[in-house]
Amino acid sequence: MAPSKLCLITVAAGDTYVEYARQLFESAQRHLKAADTVDCVMLPGVAGWPAATMRRYHVIGEHARQLRLKHSYTHIFLCDADMRFEADVGPEILPAAGLTATLHPGYVGADPSTLPFETNQMSHCYVPAAKRERYFAGGFVGGTARDFLKLANRIAWRIDGDAAREIVPVWHDESALNHCLVATPPAITLSPAYCHPDSDDWYLGWWPEPYERKLVALDKKPEEREGR
């Protein structure tokens, strides 16, 4: 069997999020043991809100050829810069084919009618009510290199299509991600352990079960939320 080679990407702009990314990669060096080889790559993001999230799949698309051909990665994962690995993450995240997605900690086990899918029927990210079953977090998603880069192109296309109609998806790139995952369900679904809230008291009161703190979404100051 050929060795596995994983690329962990984060897209960051501004000193605050570049520092977050540095700390993320330090934690990944200790705990990310999913593949034979793990590389951490920070791509330059677009500054400002909501462009920081809306354009990050465009940035990945711009580097797709380098990621796919020059480095021969078997798997690629996107992780928010403001996260931290706190426990070992192994090959359970790696699909043989297809995608891996993480259930959103704020909506796991929730009534489907409350899930925050895009409801604007003019949006390229719209999901009909009958198909709103599971809602995934944008903070940690990946898959085989081929399938992830295909997903990145699909998300960027939907963002651009909405921009042409002067529409901003309700949850930006996460809305586009969830639209795509309805059409192409992930091969592997991860629990909120892989997008665990830093402050979890509120969540523990209604989660169906406690989750291990494997990959943690860090608390931030309000002024830090305006960039990536």
Side-chain angles (χ1 to χ4, degrees):
M1 180 180 296
S4 55
K5 188 175 183 181
L6 184 150
C7 178
L8 180 71
I9 292 175
T10 195
V11 180
D15 293 345
T16 297
Y17 278 82
V18 168
E19 176 59 21
Y20 273 128
R22 184 189 67 78
Q23 296 176 26
L24 166 69
F25 290 162
E26 286 181 354
S27 70
Q29 291 172 358
R30 294 191 298 271
H31 293 297
L32 185 53
K33 303 177 179 181
D36 297 307
T37 301
V38 175
D39 289 344
C40 295
V41 174
M42 179 167 51
L43 299 179
V46 178
W49 185 260
T53 57
M54 294 271 281
R55 303 295 298 179
R56 60 181 178 169
Y57 282 98
H58 296 74
V59 172
I60 292 170
E62 292 166 2
H63 292 81
R65 181 176 177 82
Q66 179 183 12
L67 294 168
R68 183 175 63 248
L69 299 178
K70 182 177 180 180
H71 297 289
S72 301
Y73 291 116
T74 59
H75 296 82
I76 300 175
F77 278 74
L78 171 66
C79 187
D80 282 354
D82 49 341
M83 299 184 81
R84 178 178 63 228
F85 288 91
E86 293 190 358
D88 289 352
V89 172
E92 74 275 2
I93 70 171
L94 300 184
L99 299 167
T100 298
T102 306
L103 290 173
H104 196 295
Y107 300 99
V108 61
D111 186 314
S113 67
T114 68
L115 301 179
F117 289 97
E118 176 58 68
T119 59
N120 181 352
Q121 295 188 32
M122 294 297 295
S123 171
H124 286 84
C125 304
Y126 170 71
V127 175
K131 295 185 177 181
R132 300 172 195 168
E133 298 178 356
R134 299 181 299 173
Y135 190 79
F136 295 97
F140 189 59
V141 60
T144 66
R146 175 182 179 276
D147 289 308
F148 177 78
L149 293 175
K150 183 178 179 180
L151 172 69
N153 286 335
R154 292 168 64 198
I155 290 175
W157 182 88
R158 295 191 176 280
I159 295 294
D160 288 343
D162 274 10
R165 298 179 178 182
E166 299 185 346
I167 295 172
V168 177
V170 61
W171 289 110
H172 307 138
D173 63 312
E174 190 174 81
S175 296
L177 169 67
N178 274 277
H179 175 100
C180 292
L181 293 176
V182 167
T184 306
I188 295 176
T189 296
L190 300 176
S191 79
Y194 299 84
C195 193
H196 198 290
D198 200 356
S199 298
D200 57 11
D201 289 349
W202 181 79
Y203 297 87
L204 293 173
W206 61 268
W207 271 347
E209 60 181 278
Y211 299 104
E212 184 178 359
R213 294 171 64 98
K214 285 183 172 286
L215 179 57
V216 175
L218 301 177
D219 289 339
K220 299 180 294 299
K221 300 175 182 178
E223 60 268 24
E224 294 178 338
R225 297 179 182 275
E226 297 302 311
R228 289 295 185 270

